[in-house]
Amino acid sequence: MTTACVIFLTISLCCYLVSSFLYYGRLFFNKPQMNQWGRAGLILGVSIHTIGIGMHLLMSGLSPFSNMLSVISLLIIAFAGIGIAIEYLARVGHLGLLLAPLAFLALLYPMLMPVQFHEAESMLLRFPWLGVHVFVTLLGDVGFTLSFCTAAIYLFQVWQLKQGQLNRYLPALDIAGKITDYAAGCGFFLFSIGLAMGLVWLFNTPGDYLGHSDAKILLALPTWLCYAAFLYMRGIRGEFGSRLKWLVIVGFLFVVVNLLGVRHDFTNSEFL
């Protein structure tokens, strides 16, 4: 693949990522124009992606079905193109929430997964896909930690208010609530990408790396579900209040247990 093709595909990958942030930002910042910007970013990504893969096929003279990158690229372009048309014609406002992240992960897979540095001592450096998965997941955990702190402040301020007083040294209820929403949203977005990358690695890793019933992987699912439920009720249904903040607290407890109390089972790994 030529340098120009790689540049075009990398730009389209960035467009898909930015589009994902914009679509999810529409839920948390309540700005309708972000939905339009997200759609524009997705359209731009598909257009640049089409040019990049077209250049690759023309310059290489290969069949579109000759390698994984070409096949997956064609599927992404078709999937995203049809989705954009449905979103526009049927006025489906939240379809981009699914389209953009899937396009990003689907293109990232053939570009990054085959890359290996066999001489690297650390497994995270030997397999960049795994390293990116760990880094992105930890960024998601950072967002969850911030949302937990502000949710705890929100609940404390509510309790103080019921006692007829308010702590003036802590953020007000509305500020604590907004930070909780934004931090949980960013954390959920990054954690979802990291979790998806981890699942892809689990089923496509070279050799016998982890068992499919690994406890750390299984415990990530209730974490994801807690924050997904919080964001659905807050962003889609428009609910608010102390009950939602308890979902954030419970979700963070899963994060702590998974991060500090559970380890991967490497007993059958061929890398040890």
Side-chain angles (χ1 to χ4, degrees):
M1 180 175 290
T2 65
T3 303
C5 298
V6 173
I7 291 175
F8 271 88
L9 293 178
T10 303
I11 293 174
S12 64
L13 188 69
C14 294
C15 288
Y16 293 145
L17 181 60
V18 172
S19 175
S20 301
F21 273 113
L22 290 171
Y23 272 116
Y24 277 88
R26 163 66 178 87
L27 291 178
F28 313 127
F29 295 98
N30 197 27
K31 295 182 178 180
Q33 63 268 30
M34 295 188 73
N35 203 58
Q36 301 173 0
W37 297 342
R39 185 184 299 113
L42 184 58
I43 294 173
L44 180 62
V46 171
S47 302
I48 296 176
H49 194 173
T50 303
I51 295 173
I53 201 64
M55 290 174 58
H56 168 63
L57 295 176
L58 288 175
M59 293 180 179
S60 64
L62 298 174
S63 165
F65 307 102
S66 60
N67 57 68
M68 181 175 61
L69 177 61
S70 300
V71 172
I72 292 181
S73 291
L74 293 176
L75 290 174
I76 294 171
I77 293 169
F79 175 76
I82 293 173
I84 292 170
I86 293 175
E87 187 179 54
Y88 177 77
L89 296 175
R91 304 297 179 184
V92 180
H94 301 293
L95 191 57
L97 292 171
L98 176 66
L99 293 174
L102 283 180
F104 171 75
L105 286 172
L107 181 57
L108 183 66
Y109 174 74
M111 292 183 67
L112 186 61
M113 189 69 169
V115 179
Q116 297 183 22
F117 300 100
H118 297 285
E119 297 181 356
E121 295 183 1
S122 171
M123 188 180 294
L124 298 182
L125 297 177
R126 191 186 312 173
F127 301 101
W129 178 274
L130 182 60
V132 174
H133 149 68
V134 172
F135 178 71
V136 172
T137 304
L138 288 177
L139 285 180
D141 289 340
V142 171
F144 291 157
T145 303
L146 180 58
S147 67
F148 164 78
C149 293
T150 51
I153 291 173
Y154 182 95
L155 293 173
F156 178 75
Q157 291 286 53
V158 169
W159 178 78
Q160 286 281 88
L161 198 59
K162 291 180 179 179
Q163 305 301 316
Q165 55 187 347
L166 200 63
N167 192 313
R168 61 188 181 89
Y169 297 104
L170 294 175
L173 282 175
D174 57 339
I175 296 177
K178 287 182 179 179
I179 296 177
T180 301
D181 297 343
Y182 298 156
C186 291
F188 178 78
F189 176 76
L190 293 169
F191 186 81
S192 297
I193 291 179
L195 181 60
M197 293 181 70
L199 291 174
V200 170
W201 169 264
L202 177 65
F203 291 101
N204 292 274
T205 181
D208 188 10
Y209 174 55
L210 287 173
H212 293 175
S213 59
D214 183 79
K216 201 171 187 70
I217 298 170
L218 296 177
L219 198 58
L221 297 179
T223 304
W224 188 88
L225 289 173
C226 279
Y227 285 97
F230 169 77
L231 293 172
Y232 170 76
M233 289 189 285
R234 183 69 185 95
I236 303 297
R237 297 181 59 177
E239 297 182 15
F240 60 91
S242 300
R243 185 182 65 171
L244 289 184
K245 302 304 182 290
W246 281 110
L247 264 178
V248 174
I249 302 293
V250 172
F252 183 72
L253 292 178
F254 281 117
V255 171
V256 172
V257 172
N258 197 7
L259 192 62
L260 303 178
V262 180
R263 299 179 65 87
H264 280 302
D265 180 12
F266 292 104
T267 53
N268 296 321
S269 177
E270 68 174 31
F271 297 111
L272 297 181

